[in-house]
Amino acid sequence: MLTATSTVLSNWSWKCAKSSVHKELVTDKWTACSHSRATTQIHPDLVDAGVILEPFVDLNEQAIQWVGEADWEYQTTFKYASGSIFADLVFEGLDTFATVYLNDVKVLETENMFHSHRVSVKESLTEGDNFLRIYFHSALLKARELERANKPMPLWNGESCRLYIRKAQYHFGWDWGPVLVTCGPYKEVRLETYNVTVTDLSVLVDIPEALDVAYTTVIMSTSGQYHHAFVEVLSPDGSIVKSEFVGYSAPTQEVTITLENPELWYPHKYGSQPLYKFTVKLCTASNSELNKLSKSIGLRRARVVQNPLVDQPGTSFYFEINNIAIFAAGSNWIPSHSFHTLLTKQDYNDWIKLVVDGNQDMLRVWGGGIYELDIFYQLCDKFGILVWQDFMFGCGLYPYTPELAKSVTIEAEQQVSRLRNFCSVVIYAGNNEDYQVAESLNLKWDSNQKEGLAESDFPAREYYEKILPSAVKKFSANTYYHFGSPYGGETTRDPTVGDIHQWNVWHGTQEKYQNWSHLAGRFVSEFGMLAFPKTETIKSCVTDVSQLYPQSEVLDQHDKAVGFERRLALYVIENIKIDSMDLESWTYATQFMQAECLAYAYRCWRREWKGKGKEYIAGALVWQLNDCWPTISWSICDFYRRPKLAYYAIKRESAKLTLGIYRNHLAEDRMHIMSLGTKTDHAHFDGKKDFAVDVWGVNSSLSFVKGVLIVNFIQVFSGRNIFESKQNVDLLPNQSTQFLTDLSLPTDCHTAVYVRLLDTSGSVIARAADWPQPLKYLTFNPGMKVAAEVRDDGVVAVSTNYPVKCVVLDVPGATLDDNGFDMFESDDIVVRAPSVAKGSVVTVEYYERNK
Ligand code: BMA
């Protein structure tokens, strides 16, 4: 007999409880939300009610700042029928300072957005209608008050008071996001009534190196009385593999279950994603089922390997899954919305699909956002994406107070016990760039110091080096914990140990991107380049057409990056010929440049994945995958999930099989790319300098790949093929293989190098092109014509009569599997576009068209 009920509360109403700016709004009037969602936030509700303008549009963000300084209340009613022994209200998350009243009795007070709460409320419930009211105090005012009572601490991004409260830090504004300090029941609130229930179920997995067995520890937490339980394990195909009898002894019990020859979970490039189903069933003495809870669990062995390297200093930093060393190509994930209660499960699904389709292996959940919703991790488990999980601290010298320490401890313990069930999560990091902030302030600390951290001038080490690792050890001992991102070596900039954030392209010393190969580290967990999103995205947030030009005030307000106008111009002007600054042209130019820039990085860094003991570079996570509003940022896909050209460039560079080319200049280096800090020098180009190329292949599969490598030297203007070589090559498994070193010809620098890999049937299985740099010096043939047609349903065929760079296809509404690619006359490129019917119109853009 199942007696438990779980009712998710919805149908919220809101009212303004206090505002010093809009006093007229503070009345007794409740406004019903126009939606019936279970979770909500105040800004979207105010938009729906016509109280404020849409925050993402025009300059509205500025006009609605008062919302964050006001107090707001939410209420809803629900029915209760007595009869069960227990009745709890479960709050998955309230944002942030909330006082909760049930039938006007205070039942809860909260101060941390990342906490969940289970409150026994039976005494306060009445038969029939009940009334729940949640008062949200202005988090902004609370934070300022706390800061005043203590002292301001240094930070990058946002208002410094944010460091004093446990709320998503990006709500306070970031260099890609607006200041929108919102509040509300942002996660589910449920009424649970029961005589007995499973309140939580976790499964810890331990798999030895032989991979022949999985030792699982099932931790079940229950409330109420039962006689015994069964812990049942179903294999991925649904058959019962284990059923263990467990007699009741305590509310929380652990059961060890050994699974022989388990079906292992793999990242998507290496295998499938089988999930076992673990179920706890609580029973009476006569075996009647009282309550049950299930979780889907992937079984894998995951390690971070930090070993000495052959011929290079420092240590490796790579992920190993089921004994397979992984080069982690991927991206950084920020919250996909400023008001993420507006995201649907479908949105999350489409995001993660985009990541998988983009050949990415890993997402880093960045520390200035939120611990993501379960659905995010479920999808990463389902599709085989690895997750790097930061704790939610970012870009600040966080204060220590005993209250914060207590709050952070609960936060960490709750979050790790939730996240430990997701096999995709393979690392925790204490924070984002907080050690870098401390370094920038010239603070000195002894990394061996273990006591008195809270009293030091870098007090947050108490969190990163004690509280957070203890939580990981206690709740997920098999998951690697890293003090921060970046972290490792003498300083966080040490390229030989741990991970680094490489911002000397764009920020910092603003190096040329052709120089990425010299700017790497063992694992590059951040690097990036800015670009405009598609014009449709820009148009979604600009109502005045006169503002639709790249330098307009409205667009400036939609780019939060410091110095973005100069830096974006710098990187475009240094590399790409510009003949118009209209919105379409500038979008094309910035996206083209961003794609070139980021492709360089992936290409140069994957080359350094050289096999056992030579994992010199083991990861590249671009800053950033996504946006939280329509903006001009480093994202490779915009707010509406429209990919920028860089998404495709990274996709090509992260394919299982790739070729790479690097141009070494024999004479004086004309881009000065080898010498750092020479950015004031002008690139010079006399057209006669010799060059030589290195050519390699990268094979991420676990088997040898044999092929024929064809190398062509092709003059850019004439399209003339001046050299061709063919050779049989073997690509070693799971590493890069060097094919040619310093191949040089007596030719000028206007020559592109094109390489292709053919399989035994003669089909092209990988290709790559390298072009003289900077691209702005090149002259393309004025007779150049690129043709594209939808040859069959879902198939776009593209051809060219001369060498061409950055071919961009546009078929309205279609999803294309490639875009922004280079082509040569010999190519017959096919782009898949599943929803497109034969004969549909395709528009084509390319670099230096009609010049
Ligand atoms: C990194 C990130 C973010 C920031 C980005 C771009 O440092 O961690 O804090 O948005 O750079 O500046």
Side-chain angles (χ1 to χ4, degrees):
M1 182 190 43
L2 296 172
T3 54
T5 64
S6 174
T7 314
V8 178
L9 308 195
S10 58
N11 297 314
W12 296 98
S13 305
W14 60 266
K15 83 179 177 72
C16 184
K18 199 170 171 190
S19 167
S20 55
V21 178
H22 283 285
K23 295 202 176 81
E24 75 287 358
L25 283 179
V26 186
T27 65
D28 288 337
K29 185 175 155 277
W30 289 90
T31 305
C33 293
S34 61
H35 59 81
S36 55
R37 285 194 313 273
T39 60
T40 192
Q41 287 157 301
I42 195 62
H43 286 81
D45 287 335
L46 295 176
V47 174
D48 286 350
V51 177
I52 59 170
L53 294 169
E54 170 56 62
F56 297 164
V57 171
D58 298 335
L59 303 178
N60 297 347
E61 178 200 351
Q62 294 165 10
I64 59 169
Q65 286 306 312
W66 64 271
V67 175
E69 295 178 349
D71 291 357
W72 300 93
E73 280 183 282
Y74 276 94
Q75 69 160 29
T76 188
T77 54
F78 60 91
K79 297 253 184 244
Y80 168 70
S82 58
S84 55
I85 302 173
F86 299 100
D88 297 347
L89 275 175
V90 178
F91 301 85
E92 294 289 355
L94 296 173
D95 177 9
T96 294
F97 294 96
T99 310
V100 182
Y101 301 89
L102 175 59
N103 300 324
D104 283 327
V105 176
K106 191 194 327 179
V107 292
L108 175 68
E109 248 177 314
T110 69
E111 40 68 43
N112 184 323
M113 174 180 181
F114 309 121
H115 286 176
S116 61
H117 310 266
R118 174 179 286 274
V119 188
S120 167
V121 290
K122 191 149 187 228
E123 302 309 311
S124 314
L125 287 165
T126 54
E127 188 74 24
D129 285 336
N130 286 268
F131 168 58
L132 186 77
R133 180 165 59 90
I134 311 178
Y135 189 107
F136 289 95
H137 304 265
S138 159
L140 195 52
L141 297 188
K142 282 263 185 202
R144 286 178 186 156
E145 198 180 296
L146 281 165
E147 186 184 52
R148 265 196 307 276
N150 291 275
K151 63 171 179 184
M153 301 290 275
L155 83 167
W156 304 328
N157 294 300
E159 191 175 320
S160 57
C161 63
R162 72 173 169 83
L163 302 177
Y164 277 93
I165 66 169
R166 300 305 300 147
K167 173 175 174 63
Q169 302 282 283
Y170 82 109
H171 287 173
F172 294 80
W174 219 264
D175 56 6
W176 37 260
V179 182
L180 293 165
V181 187
T182 196
C183 68
Y186 86 109
K187 290 181 111 179
E188 266 181 25
V189 181
R190 294 189 300 274
L191 174 72
E192 294 189 356
T193 65
Y194 56 90
N195 294 337
V196 58
T197 192
V198 189
T199 51
D200 198 15
L201 164 62
S202 283
V203 182
L204 299 179
V205 180
D206 188 14
I207 299 178
E209 196 177 347
L211 307 180
D212 52 351
V213 64
Y215 302 108
T216 67
T217 307
V218 179
I219 305 166
M220 46 195 254
S221 301
T222 58
S223 175
Q225 282 302 314
Y226 60 96
H227 181 266
H228 62 269
F230 284 101
V231 179
E232 193 180 87
V233 184
L234 298 190
S235 69
D237 69 7
S239 49
I240 296 195
V241 279
K242 283 275 158 107
S243 183
E244 298 277 330
F245 177 93
V246 192
Y248 177 84
S249 63
T252 296
Q253 298 196 103
E254 286 190 14
V255 188
T256 311
I257 297 181
T258 303
L259 302 170
E260 310 288 344
N261 299 316
E263 278 183 64
L264 298 180
W265 178 96
Y266 286 86
H268 70 102
K269 280 182 193 156
Y270 299 88
S272 57
Q273 293 75 46
L275 298 177
Y276 284 73
K277 187 168 170 190
F278 284 70
T279 304
V280 169
K281 286 182 187 165
L282 307 182
C283 302
T284 62
S286 59
N287 253 349
S288 304
E289 196 176 299
L290 294 166
N291 189 257
K292 66 175 175 181
L293 186 63
S294 300
K295 293 251 163 101
S296 294
I297 304 287
L299 308 177
R300 90 296 184 257
R301 174 182 163 86
R303 298 199 311 140
V304 174
V305 181
Q306 297 180 83
N307 284 341
L309 292 157
V310 179
D311 295 337
Q312 285 198 19
T315 43
S316 62
F317 191 96
Y318 67 88
F319 293 90
E320 189 194 76
I321 308 295
N322 305 331
N323 303 336
I324 302 170
I326 310 272
F327 181 97
S331 49
N332 281 274
W333 169 271
I334 62 168
S336 265
H337 210 299
S338 287
F339 312 113
H340 71 263
T341 53
L342 296 181
L343 293 172
T344 62
K345 288 190 171 176
Q346 189 62 43
D347 288 323
Y348 275 99
N349 186 79
D350 295 348
W351 271 116
I352 304 301
K353 271 292 282 165
L354 203 59
V355 171
V356 176
D357 292 345
N359 293 327
Q360 299 192 21
D361 307 290
M362 177 176 265
L363 284 175
R364 169 172 171 246
V365 179
W366 165 80
I370 58 167
Y371 302 94
E372 268 299 344
L373 308 187
D374 285 357
I375 183 70
F376 172 89
Y377 305 98
Q378 279 160 4
L379 289 161
C380 290
D381 283 4
K382 178 175 166 191
F383 289 118
I385 293 293
L386 299 173
V387 174
W388 172 311
Q389 178 69 48
D390 283 359
F391 282 95
M392 293 301 125
F393 296 87
C395 296
L397 193 73
Y398 281 82
Y400 176 93
T401 64
E403 296 75 30
L404 272 171
K406 198 165 150 220
S407 190
V408 168
T409 306
I410 297 169
E411 169 187 328
E413 296 196 346
Q414 286 190 349
Q415 292 298 340
V416 175
S417 36
R418 178 172 72 97
L419 300 183
R420 64 183 166 177
N421 290 313
F422 300 104
C423 58
S424 48
V425 178
V426 291
I427 183 173
Y428 291 100
N431 62 80
N432 172 74
E433 295 186 351
D434 293 355
Y435 285 87
Q436 291 205 315
V437 171
E439 283 167 359
S440 74
L441 296 163
N442 290 320
L443 301 184
K444 299 279 174 268
W445 63 91
D446 172 6
S447 48
N448 297 315
Q449 183 188 344
K450 296 276 170 277
E451 298 308 318
L453 300 180
E455 292 75 42
S456 71
D457 56 3
F458 185 3
R461 285 181 66 209
E462 181 75 19
Y463 310 138
Y464 314 142
E465 299 182 23
K466 290 181 100 170
I467 293 177
L468 303 180
S470 306
V472 175
K473 192 156 173 222
K474 189 162 156 199
F475 291 93
S476 190
N478 277 343
T479 312
Y480 179 74
Y481 176 81
H482 199 45
F483 281 0
S485 180
Y487 193 85
E490 283 295 302
T491 74
T492 59
R493 286 167 216 283
D494 186 338
T496 68
V497 181
D499 67 323
I500 62 159
H501 291 185
Q502 184 45 272
W503 278 107
N504 279 331
V505 169
W506 181 268
H507 291 307
T509 49
Q510 293 170 22
E511 301 297 332
K512 292 182 189 335
Y513 60 69
Q514 287 82 353
N515 210 14
W516 279 126
S517 57
H518 305 277
L519 296 167
R522 296 290 172 234
F523 191 104
V524 190
S525 41
E526 276 189 25
F527 65 103
M529 178 50 69
L530 209 97
F532 271 57
K534 274 193 120 177
T535 308
E536 288 104 295
T537 299
I538 293 284
K539 285 184 175 163
S540 77
C541 59
V542 179
T543 54
D544 174 358
V545 289
S546 74
Q547 289 291 308
L548 287 173
Y549 63 98
Q551 298 153 293
S552 75
E553 184 180 2
V554 172
L555 293 199
D556 273 4
Q557 283 301 313
H558 280 77
D559 192 333
K560 305 289 190 185
V562 173
F564 70 91
E565 307 95 323
R566 299 170 184 195
R567 297 184 193 175
L568 197 49
L570 169 78
Y571 282 98
V572 171
I573 301 298
E574 267 187 355
N575 289 288
I576 287 168
K577 209 154 131 190
I578 291 295
D579 54 10
S580 166
M581 273 291 291
D582 66 49
L583 189 57
E584 295 282 353
S585 307
W586 192 239
T587 300
Y588 179 86
T590 58
Q591 286 203 19
F592 177 20
M593 180 278 294
Q594 183 197 35
E596 285 283 310
C597 164
L598 299 177
Y600 251 98
Y602 282 84
R603 195 179 314 140
C604 294
W605 296 345
R606 270 187 98 198
R607 181 186 186 184
E608 300 305 313
W609 181 246
K610 292 192 168 169
K612 191 137 188 62
K614 298 181 179 175
E615 301 89 355
Y616 301 128
I617 300 176
L621 306 181
V622 70
W623 185 266
Q624 66 212 63
L625 173 72
N626 52 341
D627 282 326
C628 68
W629 71 317
T631 182
I632 302 153
S633 77
W634 299 268
S635 70
I636 57 167
C637 298
D638 72 23
F639 179 63
Y640 300 104
R641 272 191 306 277
R642 294 181 179 126
K644 298 180 185 174
L645 297 178
Y647 167 82
Y648 300 102
I650 292 171
K651 176 179 179 174
R652 290 191 293 272
E653 297 295 341
S654 306
K656 247 180 154 170
L657 207 61
T658 58
L659 294 175
I661 312 173
Y662 194 78
R663 189 175 289 237
N664 305 309
H665 286 271
L666 298 181
E668 192 191 344
D669 169 29
R670 79 195 145 100
M671 285 284 289
H672 297 276
I673 59 175
M674 308 300 284
S675 51
L676 300 186
T678 54
K679 63 182 188 296
T680 49
D681 290 346
H682 276 104
H684 59 273
F685 183 75
D686 61 16
K688 292 193 188 71
K689 297 266 162 59
D690 290 340
F691 68 95
V693 290
D694 295 345
V695 178
W696 65 91
V698 184
N699 172 11
S700 289
S701 81
L702 302 179
S703 12
F704 280 88
V705 173
K706 285 188 177 308
V708 176
L709 178 75
I710 306 182
V711 179
N712 291 105
F713 280 49
I714 300 171
Q715 281 181 339
V716 174
F717 183 82
S718 66
R720 205 159 64 81
N721 184 16
I722 55 171
F723 170 80
E724 176 164 295
S725 75
K726 276 191 190 176
Q727 66 185 100
N728 290 325
V729 290
D730 276 348
L731 287 88
L732 302 176
N734 198 15
Q735 66 169 85
S736 68
T737 308
Q738 181 88 1
F739 300 138
L740 298 166
T741 305
D742 273 344
L743 171 68
S744 112
L745 281 186
T747 178
D748 65 35
C749 282
H750 293 275
T751 305
V753 182
Y754 189 36
V755 293
R756 283 166 293 166
L757 186 69
L758 311 188
D759 65 10
T760 42
S761 70
S763 305
V764 177
I765 48 174
R767 58 188 205 104
D770 176 82
W771 301 74
Q773 301 289 326
L775 298 170
K776 64 183 177 180
Y777 290 164
L778 289 178
T779 309
F780 287 81
N781 197 296
M784 175 169 72
K785 276 225 153 26
V786 180
E789 56 158 349
V790 185
R791 189 158 68 195
D792 278 310
D793 288 352
V795 179
V796 186
V798 195
S799 58
T800 179
N801 56 348
Y802 283 102
V804 58
K805 267 205 80 66
C806 196
V807 176
V808 178
L809 308 176
D810 194 14
V811 189
T815 305
L816 304 171
D817 78 345
D818 198 5
N819 218 344
F821 43 84
D822 303 341
M823 285 187 75
F824 296 87
E825 198 191 341
S826 55
D827 290 327
D828 180 14
I829 302 275
V830 166
V831 173
R832 308 271 158 198
S835 56
V836 176
K838 183 174 176 177
S840 304
V841 178
V842 192
T843 52
V844 188
E845 193 54 73
Y846 44 94
Y847 184 49
E848 288 293 275
R849 182 183 186 148
N850 297 329
K851 299 293 164 330

